[in-house]
Amino acid sequence: MRKLKVDRTEGNFFICEDKEKKMFAIEKNEMPKEAKCGNMIVISDDGIISVSNTKNK
């Protein structure tokens, strides 16, 4: 499982950051509809992406 913070959008991608400041680009069509900048997302070991109820502080 991986947790990422949605940092911003660029074109057709959400740019996300992990706790080690590594950046990831995820296509918008792969993200849950409710995902937006500032959200925390969780990517399961099966590759399922969901929006977390907690914020990264």
Side-chain angles (χ1 to χ4, degrees):
M1 178 175 67
R2 180 178 293 246
K3 292 183 180 181
L4 304 173
K5 181 178 180 182
V6 180
D7 183 62
R8 64 186 182 277
T9 60
E10 286 186 9
N12 198 35
F13 294 92
F14 279 103
I15 307 302
C16 303
E17 182 178 40
D18 70 6
K19 65 182 178 180
E20 288 137 9
K21 305 293 185 193
K22 284 174 103 176
M23 304 301 278
F24 299 86
I26 302 173
E27 286 191 39
K28 288 181 180 179
N29 65 357
E30 294 180 10
M31 294 283 277
K33 299 281 186 217
E34 67 272 17
K36 60 184 178 189
C37 294
N39 284 144
M40 291 298 296
I41 61 167
V42 177
I43 305 173
S44 73
D45 293 336
D46 296 333
I48 306 295
I49 301 172
S50 59
V51 176
S52 175
N53 292 329
T54 60
K55 293 231 177 190
N56 188 19
K57 297 191 179 194

